[in-house]
Amino acid sequence: MKAALLVGILLIGAVSCQRAPSANPSTASLSRPGGTQQVFQVKGIVKKLETDGKSVEIRHEEIPDYMPAMTMPFEAKNPKELAGLKPGDAVEFRLTVTDSDSWIDQIRTLSPANTNVPPAATPPSAEAPVIIRAAEPLQVGDPLPEYHFTNQLGQAVSTKQFKGQALAITFVFTRCPLPNFCPRMSSNFEEVQKKLVARPNGPTNWHLLTISFDPEFDTPTILRAYAERFNADPQRWEFLTGSVPEITALSQQFGQTFWREEGALNHNLRTVVIDASGRVAKIITGNTWTSDELAEDIVKATAAQ
């Protein structure tokens, strides 16, 4: 029997994607074919080097008119620039953000005295938890428990109502600032929806669920507008909000974590496939999966008895 997780209430905050043009000399906005490229000069403290060899987690100072000080992973354009870095190093780097991607380069070490990074908040694991629901970690083959949410149309939704259908579930918040985090999850789901609908003689017993972990802001009205941006068919793809206990318990069961720090939401990424029998078929970490891969996983999951 797997040990139960004690899931604590996480107070939800978020950063806004709605950015005014910056007059700060450390930023620049460049027009390019197909969209805008924004460039920021950023300072921070290295927290962790990721095992993929090309990403680094940095607690950075505020980026004016873009996002507040927070801790998050960044992908290096040239992984060789990460050589020699270690946790605790103060660094300065260039962050480039396009309509669909972001990366860092020109990474150099600094004296810690040359950064304005605020002290890190107490991580959720170090706080005394308020027990709201016992939720065991789910593994492939485990049945999906029943959870209750509200969709973008204000309708009640239960995970049990999808028995007999394959489900793909991902977690986002609508004000996520970097295009290769939450916006990429939503764009990929949009492509999956198109591919499954257009698939010749393809299965019809499938459904997509996008769950917000920012329920204080992501009301059904906000989610409806967000869903329309991605051409979501509510008969096939629902955007869900709900109570913090329900959202937290379900996300924790799949290893999806989110926490408030310096007024912003820090989070990792998880996408899950549930087969037609109601059991976990796949848990996907990160953002490197493709819509083709997920569409095939869903098709396979529709055949489960």
Side-chain angles (χ1 to χ4, degrees):
M1 180 105 179
K2 298 181 286 291
L5 293 178
L6 299 182
V7 181
I9 291 179
L10 303 177
L11 298 178
I12 308 299
V15 295
S16 175
C17 283
Q18 305 302 316
R19 298 180 296 276
S22 174
N24 190 290
S26 66
T27 69
S29 181
L30 307 174
S31 295
R32 63 181 183 85
T36 300
Q37 178 173 289
Q38 297 185 87
V39 180
F40 306 92
Q41 289 299 132
V42 189
K43 296 177 182 178
I45 305 294
V46 173
K47 303 296 290 183
K48 180 174 67 174
L49 293 167
E50 304 291 356
T51 57
D52 63 7
K54 60 182 181 181
S55 302
V56 58
E57 185 177 287
I58 298 175
R59 178 164 177 76
H60 62 80
E61 63 188 28
E62 178 187 0
I63 304 175
D65 299 316
Y66 190 70
M67 61 178 162
M70 61 189 294
T71 302
M72 65 186 308
F74 295 97
E75 184 171 313
K77 185 175 184 179
N78 179 5
K80 291 182 180 179
E81 289 196 63
L82 302 180
L85 290 182
K86 59 185 184 300
D89 283 348
V91 293
E92 182 176 26
F93 56 92
R94 181 174 68 177
L95 168 65
T96 301
V97 183
T98 70
D99 292 340
S100 60
D101 205 358
S102 68
W103 62 87
I104 65 172
D105 62 2
Q106 299 183 5
I107 305 166
R108 66 186 186 92
T109 57
L110 300 170
S111 164
N114 291 329
T115 68
N116 294 312
V117 179
T122 303
S125 60
E127 297 174 354
V130 178
I131 302 173
I132 56 175
R133 179 167 179 170
E136 296 182 348
L138 291 176
Q139 308 295 332
V140 171
D142 289 342
L144 178 68
E146 183 170 14
Y147 285 94
H148 298 273
F149 301 103
T150 301
N151 71 11
Q152 72 267 36
L153 302 179
Q155 300 165 338
V157 174
S158 165
T159 52
K160 288 296 184 183
Q161 75 188 56
F162 300 106
K163 188 72 176 290
Q165 300 184 60
L167 283 179
I169 303 172
T170 198
F171 303 85
V172 306
F173 73 110
T174 65
R175 297 186 289 176
C176 186
L178 289 182
N180 46 338
F181 282 78
C182 300
R184 179 174 293 179
M185 301 297 99
S186 299
S187 293
N188 282 355
F189 264 41
E190 180 181 8
E191 291 181 10
V192 167
Q193 176 184 248
K194 290 178 182 177
K195 290 172 180 177
L196 291 177
V197 169
R199 193 180 183 101
N201 302 313
T204 58
N205 60 324
W206 57 268
H207 206 82
L208 309 179
L209 298 178
T210 295
I211 301 173
S212 169
F213 46 80
D214 184 15
E216 291 184 349
F217 180 84
D218 286 339
T219 62
T221 299
I222 294 293
L223 290 176
R224 184 170 184 172
Y226 188 77
E228 290 173 354
R229 282 174 48 195
F230 293 96
N231 302 301
D233 176 358
Q235 299 301 314
R236 287 294 187 186
W237 182 8
E238 295 179 79
F239 288 72
L240 307 180
T241 187
S243 69
V244 171
E246 291 284 281
I247 294 168
T248 304
L250 176 59
S251 64
Q252 292 273 354
Q253 288 200 283
F254 294 121
Q256 165 80 39
T257 58
F258 54 95
W259 65 98
R260 179 183 176 182
E261 187 173 6
E262 299 297 331
L265 266 178
N266 295 323
H267 66 93
N268 60 7
L269 297 170
R270 290 291 187 275
T271 303
V272 181
V273 178
I274 307 296
D275 68 28
S277 73
R279 295 183 177 274
V280 179
K282 193 170 188 178
I283 301 174
I284 305 169
T285 300
N287 62 355
T288 60
W289 56 271
T290 68
S291 58
D292 284 334
E293 292 168 340
L294 185 60
E296 289 303 319
D297 288 335
I298 293 171
V299 170
K300 182 179 179 181
T302 63
Q305 302 295 319

